[in-house]
Amino acid sequence: MEHRIAHLLATSKNTIVITGAGISAESGLRTFRGASHADLPADMQALWKEFDPMKLATPEAFDADPAAVSRWYDWRRLGCLAAIPNPGHMALAELERRAASRTARFTVLTQNVDRLHHKAGSTNVVELHGSIIQWRCTSCETKTTPGPDPLPQFPMPAPCCPNDSAAILRPDVVWFGEMLPFEALRAADEALESCDLFLSIGTSSVVQPAASFIQVAAQHGATTVEINPEPTPISRLVDFSLRGKAGEVLPRLVDRR
Ligand code: BJW
């Protein structure tokens, strides 16, 4: 099966990969959901097993307690800044380079906010759920990239708004109930229209609208592949399901050309 998928990767004209937290797990970043792992310490289990998403990842949570939400996101921001891409990220960057050399398209739609695809060298990356590395002013939307030290104050006043004393920064991520960035949705729609190969990697495929992209791709005639160590709601719908870690499966696909 891997041989067949490697062949598809080498010949497709428009590949889309959607990635989720699982691809960054091998870089030491915690997933949100997924099976508990006896071999992992409690502080490496899925985030939503330890934290309540409704108290952290919604605009209502931020309105109710901006200090607590900002502190939690700053803790995660520092973890993402320290993380380095793993062989899964590197393999996707290599597949993009190979696609470019034969004038084929290769797009990474990522739900991840960690910027590890960029660090690995991927250039055509669409951040569906924003970025934790970037923060934005709640008043004027100006974006800013805080440095590598912990934010000194919670909530962090927005330096771009000296005339709005209530303006504070928030992470530039997409919370539950918020719209995805218009530009990201437009880029995803446009790529999906002519997609002939769609890979879903390291995502539980439960969060909308990202979870539905694979069906859109299939409706346009794309071959669909999932790479995940655990079954998900799309496992029975895809053409090929590869059970394994992204950091192990993807380099094998790259090497098989
Ligand atoms: C490995 C591995 C290894 C482990 N290798 N794999 C339609 C129906 C029902 C509900 C809705 C709907 N449309 C919209 C909604 C509401 C909501 C939603 O989908 N809710 C569902 C949970 C039910 N969606 C939204 O609110 C979205 N907005 C929207 O649609 O706006 C319009 C609208 C609004 C209101 C009503 C209707 C329409 C916004 C979603 C924003 C998601 N935000 C988060 C937080 C981002 C900031 C942060 O980082 O804190 O995004 S939630 C969290 O989940 C994060 C992720 O990007 C997202 C997806 O998670 P992901 O990446 O799949 O990770 P996991 O942890 O779930 O899975 C990891 C997988 O990896 C597992 O399967 C493992 O097995 C695997 N794995 N190791 C490969 N080594």
Side-chain angles (χ1 to χ4, degrees), residues 174-193:
V174 181
W175 285 322
F176 286 115
E178 293 187 315
M179 292 300 289
L180 276 60
F182 175 79
E183 268 309 306
L185 284 176
R186 195 201 51 75
D189 280 349
E190 193 270 319
L192 281 163
E193 270 173 29

PDB file of all heavy atoms in Angstrom, residues 174-193:
ATOM      1  N   VAL A 174      -7.775  30.456  16.431  1.00  0.00           N
ATOM      2  CA  VAL A 174      -9.229  30.398  16.230  1.00  0.00           C
ATOM      3  C   VAL A 174      -9.836  29.544  17.337  1.00  0.00           C
ATOM      4  O   VAL A 174      -9.520  28.360  17.477  1.00  0.00           O
ATOM      5  CB  VAL A 174      -9.574  29.806  14.845  1.00  0.00           C
ATOM      6  CG1 VAL A 174     -11.088  29.765  14.641  1.00  0.00           C
ATOM      7  CG2 VAL A 174      -8.915  30.617  13.728  1.00  0.00           C
ATOM      8  N   TRP A 175     -10.694  30.167  18.114  1.00  0.00           N
ATOM      9  CA  TRP A 175     -11.356  29.453  19.200  1.00  0.00           C
ATOM     10  C   TRP A 175     -12.679  28.868  18.721  1.00  0.00           C
ATOM     11  O   TRP A 175     -13.219  29.263  17.675  1.00  0.00           O
ATOM     12  CB  TRP A 175     -11.592  30.414  20.373  1.00  0.00           C
ATOM     13  CG  TRP A 175     -10.343  30.725  21.160  1.00  0.00           C
ATOM     14  CD1 TRP A 175      -9.327  29.861  21.469  1.00  0.00           C
ATOM     15  CD2 TRP A 175      -9.982  31.988  21.753  1.00  0.00           C
ATOM     16  NE1 TRP A 175      -8.363  30.505  22.222  1.00  0.00           N
ATOM     17  CE2 TRP A 175      -8.739  31.805  22.409  1.00  0.00           C
ATOM     18  CE3 TRP A 175     -10.580  33.247  21.802  1.00  0.00           C
ATOM     19  CZ2 TRP A 175      -8.091  32.826  23.106  1.00  0.00           C
ATOM     20  CZ3 TRP A 175      -9.940  34.267  22.494  1.00  0.00           C
ATOM     21  CH2 TRP A 175      -8.719  34.058  23.137  1.00  0.00           C
ATOM     22  N   PHE A 176     -13.229  27.937  19.505  1.00  0.00           N
ATOM     23  CA  PHE A 176     -14.539  27.363  19.178  1.00  0.00           C
ATOM     24  C   PHE A 176     -15.575  28.480  19.061  1.00  0.00           C
ATOM     25  O   PHE A 176     -15.613  29.392  19.893  1.00  0.00           O
ATOM     26  CB  PHE A 176     -14.978  26.364  20.253  1.00  0.00           C
ATOM     27  CG  PHE A 176     -14.231  25.071  20.186  1.00  0.00           C
ATOM     28  CD1 PHE A 176     -13.402  24.669  21.214  1.00  0.00           C
ATOM     29  CD2 PHE A 176     -14.347  24.244  19.075  1.00  0.00           C
ATOM     30  CE1 PHE A 176     -12.696  23.481  21.147  1.00  0.00           C
ATOM     31  CE2 PHE A 176     -13.652  23.046  18.993  1.00  0.00           C
ATOM     32  CZ  PHE A 176     -12.823  22.663  20.034  1.00  0.00           C
ATOM     33  N   GLY A 177     -16.371  28.391  18.021  1.00  0.00           N
ATOM     34  CA  GLY A 177     -17.421  29.390  17.796  1.00  0.00           C
ATOM     35  C   GLY A 177     -16.947  30.565  16.967  1.00  0.00           C
ATOM     36  O   GLY A 177     -17.767  31.403  16.583  1.00  0.00           O
ATOM     37  N   GLU A 178     -15.642  30.655  16.696  1.00  0.00           N
ATOM     38  CA  GLU A 178     -15.131  31.741  15.857  1.00  0.00           C
ATOM     39  C   GLU A 178     -14.996  31.257  14.411  1.00  0.00           C
ATOM     40  O   GLU A 178     -14.734  30.076  14.164  1.00  0.00           O
ATOM     41  CB  GLU A 178     -13.763  32.216  16.368  1.00  0.00           C
ATOM     42  CG  GLU A 178     -13.847  32.887  17.734  1.00  0.00           C
ATOM     43  CD  GLU A 178     -12.518  33.510  18.159  1.00  0.00           C
ATOM     44  OE1 GLU A 178     -11.462  32.853  18.000  1.00  0.00           O
ATOM     45  OE2 GLU A 178     -12.547  34.628  18.678  1.00  0.00           O
ATOM     46  N   MET A 179     -15.106  32.206  13.498  1.00  0.00           N
ATOM     47  CA  MET A 179     -14.902  31.880  12.086  1.00  0.00           C
ATOM     48  C   MET A 179     -13.424  31.640  11.815  1.00  0.00           C
ATOM     49  O   MET A 179     -12.575  32.298  12.414  1.00  0.00           O
ATOM     50  CB  MET A 179     -15.351  33.046  11.201  1.00  0.00           C
ATOM     51  CG  MET A 179     -16.855  33.285  11.206  1.00  0.00           C
ATOM     52  SD  MET A 179     -17.779  31.871  10.620  1.00  0.00           S
ATOM     53  CE  MET A 179     -17.363  31.906   8.885  1.00  0.00           C
ATOM     54  N   LEU A 180     -13.138  30.747  10.886  1.00  0.00           N
ATOM     55  CA  LEU A 180     -11.754  30.598  10.438  1.00  0.00           C
ATOM     56  C   LEU A 180     -11.387  31.819   9.590  1.00  0.00           C
ATOM     57  O   LEU A 180     -12.277  32.446   9.006  1.00  0.00           O
ATOM     58  CB  LEU A 180     -11.607  29.317   9.622  1.00  0.00           C
ATOM     59  CG  LEU A 180     -11.380  28.025  10.429  1.00  0.00           C
ATOM     60  CD1 LEU A 180     -12.529  27.740  11.379  1.00  0.00           C
ATOM     61  CD2 LEU A 180     -11.168  26.839   9.511  1.00  0.00           C
ATOM     62  N   PRO A 181     -10.077  32.168   9.513  1.00  0.00           N
ATOM     63  CA  PRO A 181      -9.708  33.347   8.720  1.00  0.00           C
ATOM     64  C   PRO A 181     -10.221  33.207   7.281  1.00  0.00           C
ATOM     65  O   PRO A 181     -10.066  32.156   6.654  1.00  0.00           O
ATOM     66  CB  PRO A 181      -8.167  33.335   8.747  1.00  0.00           C
ATOM     67  CG  PRO A 181      -7.793  32.474   9.918  1.00  0.00           C
ATOM     68  CD  PRO A 181      -8.912  31.495  10.102  1.00  0.00           C
ATOM     69  N   PHE A 182     -10.804  34.278   6.774  1.00  0.00           N
ATOM     70  CA  PHE A 182     -11.396  34.258   5.436  1.00  0.00           C
ATOM     71  C   PHE A 182     -10.371  33.826   4.379  1.00  0.00           C
ATOM     72  O   PHE A 182     -10.655  33.002   3.514  1.00  0.00           O
ATOM     73  CB  PHE A 182     -11.961  35.654   5.105  1.00  0.00           C
ATOM     74  CG  PHE A 182     -12.474  35.752   3.707  1.00  0.00           C
ATOM     75  CD1 PHE A 182     -13.720  35.235   3.366  1.00  0.00           C
ATOM     76  CD2 PHE A 182     -11.697  36.337   2.706  1.00  0.00           C
ATOM     77  CE1 PHE A 182     -14.182  35.306   2.058  1.00  0.00           C
ATOM     78  CE2 PHE A 182     -12.158  36.407   1.403  1.00  0.00           C
ATOM     79  CZ  PHE A 182     -13.394  35.889   1.081  1.00  0.00           C
ATOM     80  N   GLU A 183      -9.167  34.397   4.455  1.00  0.00           N
ATOM     81  CA  GLU A 183      -8.129  34.090   3.460  1.00  0.00           C
ATOM     82  C   GLU A 183      -7.759  32.601   3.481  1.00  0.00           C
ATOM     83  O   GLU A 183      -7.484  31.998   2.445  1.00  0.00           O
ATOM     84  CB  GLU A 183      -6.875  34.934   3.715  1.00  0.00           C
ATOM     85  CG  GLU A 183      -6.853  36.243   2.953  1.00  0.00           C
ATOM     86  CD  GLU A 183      -7.130  36.039   1.460  1.00  0.00           C
ATOM     87  OE1 GLU A 183      -6.426  35.232   0.831  1.00  0.00           O
ATOM     88  OE2 GLU A 183      -8.052  36.671   0.935  1.00  0.00           O
ATOM     89  N   ALA A 184      -7.730  32.019   4.671  1.00  0.00           N
ATOM     90  CA  ALA A 184      -7.383  30.598   4.792  1.00  0.00           C
ATOM     91  C   ALA A 184      -8.478  29.735   4.167  1.00  0.00           C
ATOM     92  O   ALA A 184      -8.197  28.775   3.435  1.00  0.00           O
ATOM     93  CB  ALA A 184      -7.179  30.237   6.266  1.00  0.00           C
ATOM     94  N   LEU A 185      -9.729  30.086   4.428  1.00  0.00           N
ATOM     95  CA  LEU A 185     -10.849  29.314   3.843  1.00  0.00           C
ATOM     96  C   LEU A 185     -10.864  29.446   2.324  1.00  0.00           C
ATOM     97  O   LEU A 185     -11.110  28.473   1.614  1.00  0.00           O
ATOM     98  CB  LEU A 185     -12.182  29.798   4.421  1.00  0.00           C
ATOM     99  CG  LEU A 185     -12.492  29.336   5.846  1.00  0.00           C
ATOM    100  CD1 LEU A 185     -13.794  29.959   6.324  1.00  0.00           C
ATOM    101  CD2 LEU A 185     -12.568  27.812   5.930  1.00  0.00           C
ATOM    102  N   ARG A 186     -10.576  30.658   1.842  1.00  0.00           N
ATOM    103  CA  ARG A 186     -10.559  30.879   0.400  1.00  0.00           C
ATOM    104  C   ARG A 186      -9.446  30.046  -0.249  1.00  0.00           C
ATOM    105  O   ARG A 186      -9.647  29.393  -1.257  1.00  0.00           O
ATOM    106  CB  ARG A 186     -10.355  32.370   0.105  1.00  0.00           C
ATOM    107  CG  ARG A 186     -10.672  32.792  -1.312  1.00  0.00           C
ATOM    108  CD  ARG A 186      -9.991  34.100  -1.684  1.00  0.00           C
ATOM    109  NE  ARG A 186      -8.563  34.095  -1.397  1.00  0.00           N
ATOM    110  CZ  ARG A 186      -7.636  33.462  -2.104  1.00  0.00           C
ATOM    111  NH1 ARG A 186      -7.985  32.763  -3.172  1.00  0.00           N
ATOM    112  NH2 ARG A 186      -6.376  33.499  -1.744  1.00  0.00           N
ATOM    113  N   ALA A 187      -8.263  30.053   0.377  1.00  0.00           N
ATOM    114  CA  ALA A 187      -7.137  29.278  -0.169  1.00  0.00           C
ATOM    115  C   ALA A 187      -7.450  27.779  -0.152  1.00  0.00           C
ATOM    116  O   ALA A 187      -7.133  27.051  -1.104  1.00  0.00           O
ATOM    117  CB  ALA A 187      -5.873  29.574   0.640  1.00  0.00           C
ATOM    118  N   ALA A 188      -8.097  27.321   0.909  1.00  0.00           N
ATOM    119  CA  ALA A 188      -8.449  25.899   0.996  1.00  0.00           C
ATOM    120  C   ALA A 188      -9.462  25.538  -0.091  1.00  0.00           C
ATOM    121  O   ALA A 188      -9.292  24.548  -0.816  1.00  0.00           O
ATOM    122  CB  ALA A 188      -9.007  25.587   2.387  1.00  0.00           C
ATOM    123  N   ASP A 189     -10.482  26.347  -0.231  1.00  0.00           N
ATOM    124  CA  ASP A 189     -11.524  26.085  -1.257  1.00  0.00           C
ATOM    125  C   ASP A 189     -10.914  26.018  -2.643  1.00  0.00           C
ATOM    126  O   ASP A 189     -11.229  25.140  -3.436  1.00  0.00           O
ATOM    127  CB  ASP A 189     -12.570  27.215  -1.253  1.00  0.00           C
ATOM    128  CG  ASP A 189     -13.568  27.048  -0.131  1.00  0.00           C
ATOM    129  OD1 ASP A 189     -13.570  25.968   0.488  1.00  0.00           O
ATOM    130  OD2 ASP A 189     -14.317  28.008   0.137  1.00  0.00           O
ATOM    131  N   GLU A 190     -10.042  26.967  -2.908  1.00  0.00           N
ATOM    132  CA  GLU A 190      -9.457  27.065  -4.248  1.00  0.00           C
ATOM    133  C   GLU A 190      -8.592  25.828  -4.544  1.00  0.00           C
ATOM    134  O   GLU A 190      -8.676  25.244  -5.625  1.00  0.00           O
ATOM    135  CB  GLU A 190      -8.643  28.367  -4.310  1.00  0.00           C
ATOM    136  CG  GLU A 190      -8.210  28.802  -5.700  1.00  0.00           C
ATOM    137  CD  GLU A 190      -6.858  28.241  -6.080  1.00  0.00           C
ATOM    138  OE1 GLU A 190      -5.974  28.224  -5.205  1.00  0.00           O
ATOM    139  OE2 GLU A 190      -6.702  27.804  -7.223  1.00  0.00           O
ATOM    140  N   ALA A 191      -7.795  25.416  -3.562  1.00  0.00           N
ATOM    141  CA  ALA A 191      -6.947  24.231  -3.779  1.00  0.00           C
ATOM    142  C   ALA A 191      -7.803  22.968  -3.897  1.00  0.00           C
ATOM    143  O   ALA A 191      -7.510  22.075  -4.703  1.00  0.00           O
ATOM    144  CB  ALA A 191      -5.938  24.105  -2.635  1.00  0.00           C
ATOM    145  N   LEU A 192      -8.878  22.896  -3.118  1.00  0.00           N
ATOM    146  CA  LEU A 192      -9.717  21.687  -3.116  1.00  0.00           C
ATOM    147  C   LEU A 192     -10.384  21.444  -4.470  1.00  0.00           C
ATOM    148  O   LEU A 192     -10.626  20.296  -4.854  1.00  0.00           O
ATOM    149  CB  LEU A 192     -10.788  21.794  -2.026  1.00  0.00           C
ATOM    150  CG  LEU A 192     -10.307  21.484  -0.601  1.00  0.00           C
ATOM    151  CD1 LEU A 192     -11.301  22.013   0.433  1.00  0.00           C
ATOM    152  CD2 LEU A 192     -10.095  19.978  -0.409  1.00  0.00           C
ATOM    153  N   GLU A 193     -10.670  22.524  -5.192  1.00  0.00           N
ATOM    154  CA  GLU A 193     -11.392  22.388  -6.458  1.00  0.00           C
ATOM    155  C   GLU A 193     -10.703  21.456  -7.457  1.00  0.00           C
ATOM    156  O   GLU A 193     -11.363  20.742  -8.198  1.00  0.00           O
ATOM    157  CB  GLU A 193     -11.558  23.763  -7.111  1.00  0.00           C
ATOM    158  CG  GLU A 193     -12.821  24.453  -6.688  1.00  0.00           C
ATOM    159  CD  GLU A 193     -12.870  25.872  -7.201  1.00  0.00           C
ATOM    160  OE1 GLU A 193     -12.286  26.148  -8.267  1.00  0.00           O
ATOM    161  OE2 GLU A 193     -13.489  26.689  -6.511  1.00  0.00           O
TER     162      GLU A 193
END
